[in-house]
């Protein structure tokens, strides 16, 4: 039993030795430093708001370059051009310091499994069944990774309640739970 993040980390360690960087415990310090460079009145926006927005974007597989196009009516905590700048600078500083955030772990695991069929085959050989609890709080990164793990098999147990979704602010949506038959057509109900 593992979280998506710990399973992704374990797979990166298994196939790569160690992830390419240290894992940030929090985005807040780096984003506070970046936030302090913003013009007034945005300079004093809480770092947690900026961190939540970066997580929202990354969990939707948006990059600093695709962020503004991917908003689709979503309201960022500061004007979208400034938020795109914050997101870009966050990614630049994180990379320059050799750090990873939790969303990077999922993204790197996805990239590994998409780019290396032999790694994906090993995962399929090793893991035959999956259970996801609180499925209503899955985001696009997690859904993508789960689809890679499960492949064309039908061994998936999903537990969730679309009325209990509480992580929409980070990009989670009950839509993956509600669309389970479309995402996993080989499973039985």
């Amino acid at each position: 039993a593992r979280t998506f993040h710990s399973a992704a980390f374990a797979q990166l360690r298994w196939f790569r030795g160690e992830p390419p960087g240290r894992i940030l415990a929090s985005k807040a310090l780096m984003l506070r430093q970046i936030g302090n460079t913003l013009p007034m009145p945005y300079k004093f926006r809480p770092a947690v708001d900026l961190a939540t927005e970066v997580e929202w974007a990354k969990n939707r597989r948006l990059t600093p370059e695709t962020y503004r196009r991917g908003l689709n009516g979503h309201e960022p905590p500061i004007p979208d051009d400034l938020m795109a700048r914050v997101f870009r600078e966050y990614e630049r500083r994180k990379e320059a310091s050799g750090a990873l955030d939790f969303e990077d772990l999922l993204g790197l695991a996805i990239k590994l499994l998409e780019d290396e069929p032999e790694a994906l085959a090993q995962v399929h050989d090793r893991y035959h069944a999956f259970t996801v609890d609180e499925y209503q709080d899955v985001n696009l990164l997690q859904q993508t990774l789960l689809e890679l793990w499960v492949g064309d098999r039908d061994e998936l147990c999903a537990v969730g309640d679309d009325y209990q979704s509480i992580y929409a602010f980070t990009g989670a949506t009950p839509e993956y739970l509600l669309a389970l038959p479309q995402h996993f057509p080989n499973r039985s109900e």
Side-chain angles (χ1 to χ4, degrees), residues 81-145:
D81 60 325
L82 289 178
M83 191 62 225
R85 188 173 99 192
V86 167
F87 187 9
R88 189 171 23 264
E89 181 62 13
Y90 168 75
E91 290 295 318
R92 188 196 69 73
R93 288 185 188 195
K94 186 171 51 77
E95 186 176 325
S97 70
L100 300 170
D101 59 29
F102 289 108
E103 294 77 26
D104 292 331
L105 289 177
L106 299 179
L108 288 169
I110 289 167
K111 182 167 177 33
L112 168 76
L113 298 176
E114 288 178 339
D115 292 352
E116 298 185 26
E118 62 280 355
L120 184 59
Q122 285 184 42
V123 169
H124 287 170
D125 286 343
R126 185 169 182 181
Y127 302 100
H128 299 280
F130 296 87
T131 298
V132 179
D133 193 15
E134 304 296 341
Y135 205 111
Q136 74 275 2
D137 286 320
V138 166
N139 62 50
L140 179 59
L141 275 175
Q142 294 166 332
Q143 179 69 24
T144 303
L145 190 54

Side-chain angles (χ1 to χ4, degrees), residues 3 14 29 47 52 72 104 112 146 174 188:
T3 66
W14 176 262
L29 178 60
T52 298
N72 296 327
D104 292 331
L112 168 76
L146 181 63
S188 61

Side-chain angles (χ1 to χ4, degrees), residues 132-139 159-168 171-178:
V132 179
D133 193 15
E134 304 296 341
Y135 205 111
Q136 74 275 2
D137 286 320
V138 166
N139 62 50
V159 180
D161 179 349
D162 59 318
Y163 288 106
Q164 298 290 321
S165 183
I166 60 172
Y167 288 102
T173 176
E175 294 305 313
Y176 299 115
L177 173 65
L178 297 172

Side-chain angles (χ1 to χ4, degrees), residues 18 27 35 58 134 144:
E18 288 292 326
K27 296 173 182 67
K58 292 184 78 164
E134 304 296 341
T144 303

